[in-house]
Amino acid sequence: MANVSHTRGDTRSDISSHPDAPEMRARYDRVLGGRDVALVDGPVFLLGLYCAVSPWILHFTTSQPSLVAHNLIMGIAIGLLALGFTRAPERMYGLSGAMCAIGVWMIISPWIVGSSPDAGVIWNNIIIGALALMLGTVCAGTAAKAAKS
């Protein structure tokens, strides 16, 4: 059995002289290095969830059937991006631009996908798109900051 007791006279425990300290620091930095973007994965997931169920919340399932499928698919895509941000944030930095693109698409989609949508549908998608664009910009900014360091 190894002797782990201090042989010196000082009673403080200083880990900086431990032979594994640099490796432990590197592992800690590697594990936590990509977690900056994880601060927005919760709001992104909630946004995707709301986008997916918004046709049933706002009751435009019968008036805009094409937008129902569209919002459901886009909501699932946003939710999958959020799960990716949670699971592997260091790999998902590159897809933060996709969040911005989804946001822009959600803003213009009522006029492209829908057929003469009413104001409620338009405002719903504009708000979802603006939030997706904002969260994507935050993710992209975090990715750019992490790339510099």
Side-chain angles (χ1 to χ4, degrees):
M1 181 166 215
N3 181 10
V4 292
S5 63
H6 293 285
T7 56
R8 293 181 286 176
D10 72 359
T11 58
R12 66 184 173 104
S13 61
D14 187 18
I15 197 165
S16 63
S17 62
H18 192 278
D20 292 335
E23 180 185 347
M24 288 187 292
R25 249 185 238 110
R27 181 181 292 170
Y28 182 77
D29 290 340
R30 187 176 63 246
V31 167
L32 293 180
R35 294 304 297 166
D36 295 341
V37 76
L39 296 175
V40 297
D41 61 353
V44 170
F45 183 76
L46 290 175
L47 181 68
L49 182 66
Y50 174 74
C51 181
V53 299
S54 65
W56 291 275
I57 292 174
L58 296 177
H59 304 292
F60 62 87
T61 55
T62 56
S63 65
Q64 297 291 329
S66 57
L67 274 174
V68 171
H70 171 266
N71 279 20
L72 179 64
I73 291 168
M74 296 308 289
I76 291 171
I78 292 170
L80 288 175
L81 279 174
L83 291 176
F85 289 149
T86 302
R87 180 78 176 123
E90 65 279 353
R91 294 181 186 165
M92 295 297 289
Y93 279 143
L95 289 178
S96 56
M99 274 294 295
C100 296
I102 288 174
V104 171
W105 172 250
M106 286 300 294
I107 291 171
I108 62 173
S109 67
W111 296 282
I112 297 174
V113 177
S115 57
S116 64
D118 61 351
V121 174
I122 292 171
W123 279 109
N124 178 60
N125 279 20
I126 286 175
I127 291 171
I128 291 172
L131 288 172
L133 184 61
M134 180 188 69
L135 290 170
T137 304
V138 169
C139 292
T142 304
K145 183 178 77 169
K148 287 180 184 177
S149 59

